[in-house]
Amino acid sequence: MTRFIISIRAAAAALLLCPPTQALAEADEDFRTHCAECHGENRLGGLGPALIPETLGRMRGPVLDEVIALGRPATQMPGFAEALTADQIAALTEYLTTPLDVVPDWTDIDITASREMSTGYEAADAPIWSADPMNITLVVETGDHHVSVLDGDSFEVLDRFPTPFAVHGGPKFSPDGRFVFIMSRDGWVQKYDLWSLQEVGRVRAGLNSRNIAISRDGKWLAVANYLPMTLAILSTDDLTPVKVMPIIARDGTQSRVSAVYQAPQRDSFILALKDAAEIWEVATDPDAAAVYEGFVHSYEKDMVEAIPSSEGLFARRRIEIAEPLDDFFFSDDYRNLIGAARDGSRAVVVNLTVGQEIAELPLNGMPHLGSGISWDRGDRRVMATPHLKEGKISVIDTESWELVSTIETEGPGFFLRSHENTPYFWADVFFGPNRDVMHVIDKQSLEIVKTLRPEPGATVAHVEFTRDGRYALVSVWEEDGAVIVYDAATLEEVMRLPMNKPSGKYNVWNKITFSEGTSH
Ligand code: DHE
């Protein structure tokens, strides 16, 4: 089989010599014969996921030609090595990684039509299990697209349910911790009831989506979309769309939404726009204007477009900035955000109250601000961020906005995590030869106190704590992987739970209380 894959690669090279239009036309025909039934005539998904570069290019795992040839284990995707030649597979791979000529719209009508509420769903009056409802932890298993529901005390798996294909970003819990909303890169949003351990329903809110945020009152769920360029707001109750906002900057530029965040103290959603030098704030309470200190002042200076109370719910405010920022960290009070420029060379602090940039930070090496965390270091409040392109963690004072320290790590990292009740924060090394290590760092001295290497050669990443901060759960991010439970004080391994490529883990309490140790 390896020989077959090598010959696909050779065929791909040969393809470059063929007239591309001819090869792509043949691939289009092969797509219609073999793939369209499951993946949709327009490649935007059906029974199987969407096959467009926006989704495929983001996925880690086996490369596309291998999946076409050999299929995807534990899914309904069969292998086509018998039906298609190496040349055909290479052409098909190229075809699928070519952007669509026309991206269809995905309006509230399409969203409504996609809605599938589970017919057998029965809401329980109380949890049907006896665990602490505030210490439930979800594990997203990306290997076979499932979520495991863990009792955070006994670590027993209470349920393991299928999700839409390729979940990305943190699931969002309702404020009482009973329901959870999970989003896939294909734009599907799933609602699951943790009390009755049943799916409530799902809806496709976009064709290619980034993440979701829930409003403070738990009534609205915002879905940030790349395709089409919209923010879709759903009712959390029944997943119906209540508003689909096209994202168009003041100068007419259409923009993708990199991410949407809940700003609880402001009763709003904050949007990072990928292609426009604006940040948007969308009110999730008709009276949200009242909490914007200095709002009227800003309005008089034309820094904002609308007073939320004049438009009421979902009123939009634009904050104009020097260049697009697409990865945000927020100060605890949500007055300030730190955003990274797209080329990863610098970061700026934007004060959301006055709607202006107030500081610039020397953060080169692609900071991953979305994974930032904050804590008290002595009498100062600091935040830390890993970097996607350099083996370092930057620690910043959140009053003076000065760089306090740069911690050298064994490679670029993706996620940081801590908890109010632990003296350490945990930092993975997601990229490079040392992706099998996890650093444990003292929050006061900023020294690495221990470097764990639980499974040599395996990617080890992302940490979540139990509600009380006593245990740290670490993913061995492999198909035959595991969640390792560590004693967060002694740093000794307590147990291993076998899992299929576990990625993020999310504790109900830590998430609904916006624990300072988690990314928001
Ligand atoms: Fe993520 C969260 C963006 C690639 C796994 N990722 C997020 C969030 C954003 C983001 C904005 C916060 C959303 C939230 O939780 O509401 N991610 C991006 C990217 O821009 C990037 C670099 C490339 C892309 O376009 O997708 C990217 N992310 C990845 C991956 O390759 C990861 C490792 C594997 C995967 O599943 O795609 C990945 N991202 C995650 C996870 C979270 C996440 C597990 C939630 C972390 C948390 O603790 O909340």
Side-chain angles (χ1 to χ4, degrees):
M1 198 46 83
T2 317
R3 263 216 329 268
F4 184 79
I5 297 299
I6 291 169
S7 64
I8 296 178
R9 304 269 147 80
L15 256 183
L16 296 173
L17 304 171
C18 287
T21 41
Q22 184 200 329
L24 288 183
E26 285 167 15
D28 180 67
E29 223 174 286
D30 285 334
F31 175 82
R32 270 155 229 300
T33 312
H34 299 287
C35 322
E37 192 182 338
C38 290
H39 296 280
E41 287 292 331
N42 51 10
R43 287 166 50 199
L44 287 169
L47 181 64
L51 298 178
I52 52 176
E54 290 82 355
T55 309
L56 297 169
R58 298 298 180 196
M59 290 182 52
R60 298 167 65 85
V63 282
L64 196 52
D65 53 9
E66 264 179 62
V67 177
I68 298 172
L70 310 179
R72 216 176 235 285
T75 71
Q76 291 175 50
M77 172 70 189
F80 288 88
E82 308 274 296
L84 297 170
T85 64
D87 280 350
Q88 284 174 304
I89 291 179
L92 199 48
T93 303
E94 165 135 2
Y95 170 81
L96 297 179
T97 46
T98 305
L100 294 174
D101 290 337
V102 180
V103 176
D105 214 357
W106 194 253
T107 64
D108 54 344
I109 298 169
D110 301 300
I111 299 173
T112 306
S114 71
R115 201 170 139 261
E116 298 166 7
M117 301 311 280
S118 310
T119 43
Y121 168 65
E122 279 178 35
D125 295 333
I128 60 167
W129 30 265
S130 57
D132 172 4
M134 291 294 119
N135 199 21
I136 295 293
T137 297
L138 301 188
V139 183
V140 174
E141 293 182 69
T142 54
D144 61 352
H145 313 284
H146 276 68
V147 162
S148 283
V149 182
L150 289 187
D151 172 341
D153 292 292
S154 66
F155 301 110
E156 182 197 344
V157 178
L158 302 174
D159 189 25
R160 189 170 185 276
F161 62 90
T163 66
F165 185 86
V167 165
H168 178 241
K172 300 295 176 316
F173 295 99
S174 56
D176 60 1
R178 172 179 181 170
F179 295 102
V180 65
F181 299 86
I182 297 168
M183 188 216 75
S184 76
R185 288 188 186 261
D186 276 356
W188 282 96
V189 173
Q190 175 182 37
K191 178 176 178 182
Y192 177 86
D193 180 349
L194 289 164
W195 284 11
S196 56
L197 299 178
Q198 286 176 39
E199 174 168 334
V200 182
R202 56 178 80 186
V203 67
R204 193 170 191 186
L207 297 171
N208 184 250
S209 305
R210 297 290 296 164
N211 79 323
I212 50 176
I214 192 165
S215 59
R216 187 175 67 90
D217 61 11
K219 288 185 183 164
W220 317 113
L221 193 82
V223 186
N225 290 325
Y226 265 9
L227 295 179
M229 298 188 204
T230 57
L231 181 82
I233 302 179
L234 310 175
S235 153
T236 52
D237 187 32
D238 59 6
L239 300 179
T240 50
V242 285
K243 181 150 185 165
V244 179
M245 300 177 75
I247 308 297
I248 304 172
R250 200 188 284 282
D251 67 2
T253 312
Q254 276 194 291
S255 176
R256 295 167 288 174
V257 188
S258 282
V260 57
Y261 306 88
Q262 183 207 144
Q265 294 91 331
R266 310 173 67 85
D267 265 317
S268 65
F269 293 131
I270 308 284
L271 278 65
L273 305 198
K274 180 95 177 162
D275 310 299
E278 287 180 16
I279 293 166
W280 283 16
E281 178 160 24
V282 173
T284 55
D285 177 324
D287 299 323
V291 303
Y292 300 160
E293 297 160 46
F295 187 87
V296 174
H297 175 68
S298 302
Y299 177 70
E300 283 168 359
K301 281 168 47 189
D302 200 27
M303 293 301 298
V304 293
E305 186 177 70
I307 296 178
S309 55
S310 67
E311 277 186 12
L313 193 60
F314 309 136
R316 185 236 3 248
R317 173 190 179 207
R318 295 175 198 268
I319 297 171
E320 290 180 272
I321 46 177
E323 61 179 315
L325 301 174
D326 73 351
D327 184 17
F328 291 170
F329 171 83
F330 293 90
S331 57
D332 303 289
D333 56 9
Y334 281 79
R335 280 207 177 91
N336 296 305
L337 70 75
I338 306 182
R342 271 165 57 175
D343 64 3
S345 61
R346 64 183 204 116
V348 292
V349 183
V350 177
N351 181 291
L352 291 169
T353 304
V354 298
Q356 272 175 328
E357 292 183 8
I358 56 163
E360 185 162 332
L361 298 171
L363 286 181
N364 54 4
M366 195 69 85
H368 192 216
L369 293 164
S371 292
I373 56 167
S374 54
W375 70 91
D376 286 331
R377 178 168 184 254
D379 59 355
R380 310 295 288 186
R381 190 79 185 160
V382 296
M383 66 85 60
T385 176
H387 291 254
L388 299 173
K389 296 230 164 119
E390 283 180 32
K392 66 179 184 185
I393 294 166
S394 298
V395 182
I396 292 153
D397 184 312
T398 62
E399 277 161 42
S400 67
W401 301 113
E402 277 164 9
L403 187 66
V404 173
S405 178
T406 302
I407 305 166
E408 302 296 328
T409 60
E410 291 195 23
F414 216 97
F415 302 107
L416 298 183
R417 207 67 145 207
S418 188
H419 189 279
E420 289 81 351
N421 298 342
T422 171
Y424 309 125
F425 70 93
W426 297 50
D428 56 40
V429 173
F430 202 77
F431 305 97
N434 298 320
R435 60 185 196 286
D436 54 358
V437 310
M438 174 74 69
H439 296 300
V440 184
I441 301 169
D442 187 289
K443 290 199 270 191
Q444 300 307 313
S445 70
L446 305 181
E447 298 292 330
I448 296 177
V449 293
K450 192 161 183 181
T451 295
L452 305 163
R453 185 177 257 120
E455 190 71 46
T459 303
V460 170
H462 197 277
V463 178
E464 176 59 302
F465 287 82
T466 47
R467 171 186 180 171
D468 56 7
R470 194 165 161 209
Y471 297 104
L473 279 59
V474 173
S475 291
V476 179
W477 199 298
E478 304 286 343
E479 267 161 23
D480 55 350
V483 164
I484 306 181
V485 181
Y486 284 94
D487 183 309
T490 64
L491 309 182
E492 294 300 325
E493 182 173 330
V494 177
M495 66 170 85
R496 251 173 220 232
L497 312 166
M499 299 268 170
N500 192 336
K501 214 171 180 193
S503 58
K505 301 160 297 300
Y506 310 90
N507 176 272
V508 169
W509 178 257
N510 294 342
K511 282 301 180 187
I512 65 174
T513 58
F514 282 68
S515 159
E516 68 175 18
T518 82
S519 45
H520 303 157

